[in-house]
Amino acid sequence: MNQIIELTKSLIQFQSVHSRPEEIKNCAAFIEIYLKRFDIDFQGHDFGGTPSILVSSSSRNPQILLMSHFDVVEGSEELFAKNLSLKHNLPPIRICY
């Protein structure tokens, strides 16, 4: 559970809003690095300059489909977790890699 909390803390630091396309790309790069550290298969895609990431099971008939997005709506600066001690750093990982 702590890993999920730490990952969430890292992700909410990205101001991945429409007016900041570079921050959306930075968030995508962060997610890809995180997936690589866990040896999780994924495919990065670009649709009109906007990144997306497809993470799939090796099963040809998965039982569940989860979808998400990592862009967010515009908001004031204080809504983003800039006051956290680590900015865009991967959380500690206890799994051997």
Side-chain angles (χ1 to χ4, degrees), residues 26-40:
N26 291 340
C27 186
F30 175 87
I31 293 168
E32 288 180 0
I33 290 167
Y34 190 85
L35 294 170
K36 285 177 186 176
R37 289 185 73 181
F38 283 104
D39 200 27
I40 298 172

Side-chain angles (χ1 to χ4, degrees), residues 77-90:
E77 292 287 324
E78 62 267 8
L79 293 177
F80 295 90
K82 291 198 177 273
N83 59 349
L84 294 176
S85 60
L86 299 175
K87 175 117 171 110
H88 304 320
N89 286 328
L90 287 172

